[in-house]
Amino acid sequence: MINRAYAPAGAHHAPGGGGVVFWQVDDLAATHARLLELGATDYEPITERKEGTGFATAAVLDPFGNVLGIMTNPHFVAMTAPLAATS
């Protein structure tokens, strides 16, 4: 995530120093739920960004205090699809 506008609220106070990496996932709700099942704690609930675009984020704290961001972003998928096709 390059744009700080999408950082979770309070990220500047994160135990890991404030850096948040967002991973693209196919099913945001299922991935978020699974991370919580595995021991992560909710840092930022699923939040729709740019209404109507399908872009949404969430973040959890792992058991070591690191912030892990997850997202679903159709634009990201469309832009990286040609790269996936060549690998």
Side-chain angles (χ1 to χ4, degrees), residues 18-60:
V20 180
V21 174
F22 284 81
W23 295 92
Q24 166 65 32
V25 297
D26 293 329
D27 187 331
L28 185 62
T31 302
H32 185 251
R34 181 69 175 137
L35 289 169
L36 296 176
E37 287 174 13
L38 293 171
T41 55
D42 210 16
Y43 188 74
E44 179 181 53
I46 295 173
T47 304
E48 184 179 356
R49 310 291 184 167
K50 296 190 178 186
E51 188 174 331
T53 65
F55 176 32
T57 65
V60 298

Side-chain angles (χ1 to χ4, degrees), residues 50-85:
K50 296 190 178 186
E51 188 174 331
T53 65
F55 176 32
T57 65
V60 298
L61 282 174
D62 73 12
F64 307 102
N66 301 301
V67 179
L68 171 66
I70 54 177
M71 69 175 184
T72 184
N73 185 343
H75 175 72
F76 176 85
V77 172
M79 295 305 295
T80 58
L83 298 173

